[in-house]
Structures are given as C-alpha cells and as structure tokens.
Amino acid sequence: MKTATNQSQGMLLFQLTSLQSFAIGTLKVKEIVPYTPLTAIPHSHPTVLGAANLRGDTLPVIDMAKAVGYPPLSKEELKDCYIIITDCRRMLVGFLVRGINKITECNWHNIDAPPSALGSNVFVTGVMKVDNKLIQLLDVELLLSKVFPDTPDSLHPVLTDVQREILRPLKILLVDDSAVARRQLSQALDSISIPYFIATNGSDALSMLEHAADVGSPFDILVSDIEMPGLDGYELAFEVQNSSKLNHAYIILHTSLSSEISVSQAHQVGAHEALTKFEANELIHAMLRGAEKVSATA
C-alpha cells in the first residue's frame, strides 16, 4: 500500500468578482443557502454584515469579497448572493459570495503554493487549475483571524516549570501552510521559551525529518496541519509512521475542521493525536503526552 489516504478532496468553487474564482474545501462547508435578511450586530467588524438565523443556529455573516480586499457587495446585489456556511475554528460562520460555480474533485498534489509575488498577507494558501482556469484556494483561517482575533488566553499556554523542562530538550517540528497558523504555533511556544523548527509544507517537513534522522538527531514531536497543498498532513503522518528511522516521532495532527471524520482519518494513518486548532493549552498538553511516550521508548 503506497498511501493510506485518498488525496482527492471536494472543492467548492465560487465567485467573489465577475472574473476571479476561488475555492474552499468542502469538508469546511456545512451548507449553502440563498441570501436571507440579516440582523445587525452592534460594534461588529466592518466586514460582518449581520447575523442569520438558520435551522436554530445564529451565526455571523461576512462579506467575503470585502474581507479579502475586493469591492463590497451592494444592496442591489444581495438578493442574488449565496451564503456559504462553514464549520471552522470551532465556530459557525457564513460567508456571503457573489455566486456559486460548482463542486469539483481536486488532488492535493495538483495544488501549488501561491506565487511569492503575492506577498505574505494574501488570503490564498494555494492555486490550482480547473477547466484551464486558475483557481485560488482561500485561506479561511487567515480571514477569520482578521475578523475574529484570537484572545490572548487561547494563544498563551500555562504550564509549570517542571513541565517546561520536560519539553525544552525535545526536538519539535511545526508544519503548516497557513501563515496565521504558523504564527499562532510560534507564539504559543515562544511564550513559554520552548525551541522548535518550522516548515511551511509537508514535503519540506519530510526532508527535514529525514535529514535530522540521518545525522543522528531525530525529531521527537511532529505537529502538522492536515490540509496542505502537495504532501498533506495525513500522508506526512503515514510516511513517518512507516519509516523505521522516522517513527520515533510523536505525531500530532491539527485541523481547523470541526469534524469527527478528520480525527478518525488522522488515527488511521498513524497520528497519535488529532486536535481541532487552535487552543494553546490543548496543544501543549498533547506535547507533554508525546514527551512521556518518547521518554518511555528511549
């Protein structure tokens, strides 16, 4: 068996402008509904148009075009728009878009990293071609972090001096294609003075893991995102677990998807833990469990 996961994932294609199509993984999408009148939310972010009540859930609705820097929706356009309801970062959020195109299957290996010319603050995690058209994969995490900033409590873990000294000697690798997620992970470990290495994609992470093992300094803990272009977190975990020189590492997969399916798949490919990101204390305590296992097998 070459791989334990199906690299193909559904992608919802939608319009933010008349010319440019974007995509979001269907695992993040709960449902799509036509525009419905919204209730104003006092003191909300400028991109939040209001709240919708759908099937008993009250959720904020964001003008996605405005949030990523395109012209905002006009009142005249609203009646023809759609709300994409997502379950991401432990919250239900609606994204109002100008149009829905279709759902298509896409292989993660066919998604390229965004061109460096786009800069680091662009809301794109990858680009792909569908029907010979360039489609941008939207960085939903970055968008939500701008509209709903994390509280300091969620970013800064609390641990004892003894726990800190348990983690400090370990060699830790953090892997995520999202700049905001990398920043969250870094801030959490920086705040408690724990050293770490970082990779922006699965392929680079695998190379780092292999090099470290070859020089006799293997990584002890691997913390990786699941959804990444190229080599995703599932496949990275599978490669690590099926290599005698790499499977020393304790694997923690994390995802913005609030899904039991993603957690189940993480365990199937050999990950020791799967977390719904991001809560710093949960991550640190998962690392402490990893330290205990690494110590027991040393």
Side-chain angles (χ1 to χ4, degrees), residues 38-56:
L38 305 175
T39 303
I41 304 175
H43 313 298
S44 59
H45 190 274
T47 62
V48 176
L49 299 179
N53 193 300
L54 298 167
R55 309 191 199 292

Side-chain angles (χ1 to χ4, degrees), residues 64 66 80 118 152 159-160 187-188 203 247:
M64 186 183 273
K66 183 177 181 180
D80 298 318
L118 291 178
L159 75 171
T160 67
Q187 286 178 351
S203 296
N247 61 14

Side-chain angles (χ1 to χ4, degrees), residues 275-286:
L275 306 176
T276 301
K277 63 183 179 188
F278 180 81
E279 209 289 321
N281 280 310
E282 287 185 13
L283 175 62
I284 294 303
H285 281 87

Side-chain angles (χ1 to χ4, degrees), residues 141 224-227 253-257 262-263 275-277:
E141 292 175 12
S224 175
D225 185 21
I226 291 177
E227 291 188 300
L253 293 185
H254 61 105
T255 176
S256 59
L257 304 173
S262 58
V263 172
L275 306 176
T276 301
K277 63 183 179 188

Side-chain angles (χ1 to χ4, degrees), residues 45-208:
H45 190 274
T47 62
V48 176
L49 299 179
N53 193 300
L54 298 167
R55 309 191 199 292
D57 291 315
T58 300
L59 58 146
V61 176
I62 296 170
D63 180 344
M64 186 183 273
K66 183 177 181 180
V68 302
Y70 286 105
L73 292 162
S74 66
K75 289 184 178 180
E76 292 73 26
E77 290 179 285
L78 293 180
K79 61 181 175 57
D80 298 318
C81 292
Y82 291 86
I83 301 174
I84 302 173
I85 301 173
T86 66
D87 189 354
C88 187
R89 296 179 92 231
R90 307 186 187 191
M91 62 189 304
L92 285 177
V93 177
F95 291 108
L96 198 62
V97 301
R98 283 186 160 89
I100 300 294
N101 293 346
K102 64 178 181 178
I103 292 176
T104 186
E105 289 292 315
C106 182
N107 190 302
W108 278 110
H109 292 292
N110 296 329
I111 301 176
D112 297 320
S116 56
L118 291 178
S120 59
N121 203 34
V122 69
F123 295 90
V124 176
T125 58
V127 292
M128 60 185 181
K129 279 194 173 181
V130 177
D131 300 330
N132 291 318
K133 293 182 180 179
L134 195 66
I135 308 294
Q136 299 182 26
L137 184 60
L138 203 71
D139 189 342
V140 178
E141 292 175 12
L142 178 58
L143 193 159
L144 290 175
S145 74
K146 300 288 187 183
V147 179
F148 305 108
D150 291 293
T151 63
D153 288 346
S154 70
L155 295 175
H156 298 145
V158 177
L159 75 171
T160 67
D161 291 340
V162 172
Q163 290 172 325
R164 184 183 295 109
E165 293 310 310
I166 290 173
L167 289 180
R168 201 191 299 274
L170 298 182
K171 194 169 181 181
I172 299 168
L173 177 59
L174 311 176
V175 191
D176 206 300
D177 65 317
S178 168
V180 65
R182 291 196 301 273
R183 185 171 66 249
Q184 289 173 332
L185 292 165
S186 298
Q187 286 178 351
L189 294 186
D190 287 343
S191 70
I192 53 176
S193 302
I194 300 298
Y196 56 88
F197 296 80
I198 203 156
T200 60
N201 60 70
S203 296
D204 286 353
L206 186 58
S207 295
M208 292 171 68

